[in-house]
């Protein structure tokens, strides 16, 4: 059966600035993942396509994923599109700065693997 591994991480820290600290966003609900039965494209399974797609996106002040783009392709357009479709459904507790939610850049890698 195919499996999918997800790793969420913020982009590298920006150079030290005079801005107040910003908390990192947090996953809301269960750990974020892409359900293999729902998102692994059936044609990709048949063709044996595997790989890791890295997405860059923003987490807005409501905790929604905004403007996901592929920053590193898995090598399969089907898997890359499935990653965008899956990650677009995720929700976060937004980052906080000075007691207010703020929009922040974020990235995640989704590994598509057949067993």
């Amino acid at each position: 059966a195919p499996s999918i591994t997800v790793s969420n991480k913020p982009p590298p820290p920006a150079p030290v600035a005079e801005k107040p600290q910003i908390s990192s966003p947090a996953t809301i609900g269960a750990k974020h993942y892409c359900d293999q039965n729902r998102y692994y494209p059936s044609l990709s399974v048949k063709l044996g396509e595997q790989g890791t797609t890295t997405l860059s996106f923003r987490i807005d002040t409501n905790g929604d994923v905004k403007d996901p783009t592929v920053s590193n392709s898995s090598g399969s357009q089907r898997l890359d599109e499935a990653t965008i479709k899956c990650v677009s459904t995720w929700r976060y507790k937004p980052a906080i700065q000075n007691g207010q939610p703020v929009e922040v850049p974020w990235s995640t890698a989704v590994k598509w693997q057949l067993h």
Side-chain angles (χ1 to χ4, degrees):
S3 71
I4 302 165
T5 306
V6 175
S7 76
N8 273 309
K9 62 181 176 180
V16 176
E18 296 298 317
K19 293 182 180 180
Q21 284 285 63
I22 298 175
S23 71
S24 289
T27 301
I28 291 179
K31 183 178 177 183
H32 287 154
Y33 73 99
C34 294
D35 181 349
Q36 63 189 19
N37 296 320
R38 184 172 180 191
Y39 291 104
Y40 213 123
S42 57
L43 185 55
S44 293
V45 172
K46 288 180 186 177
L47 295 174
E49 293 178 337
Q50 302 182 101
T52 300
T53 301
T54 303
L55 292 186
S56 296
F57 52 94
R58 298 191 66 74
I59 298 173
D60 71 14
T61 57
N62 294 317
D64 295 322
V65 171
K66 188 175 175 184
D67 304 322
T69 58
V70 174
S71 54
N72 191 16
S73 176
S74 64
S76 163
Q77 184 175 350
R78 277 179 290 278
L79 295 180
D80 294 348
E81 289 172 357
T83 304
I84 291 172
K85 183 177 179 182
C86 172
V87 171
S88 293
T89 68
W90 293 356
R91 295 263 311 160
Y92 291 84
K93 179 180 175 188
I96 302 294
Q97 182 179 38
N98 292 331
Q100 297 296 316
V102 291
E103 189 171 291
V104 294
W106 205 250
S107 69
T108 192
V110 176
K111 183 176 182 181
W112 302 91
Q113 187 173 13
L114 299 169
H115 292 282

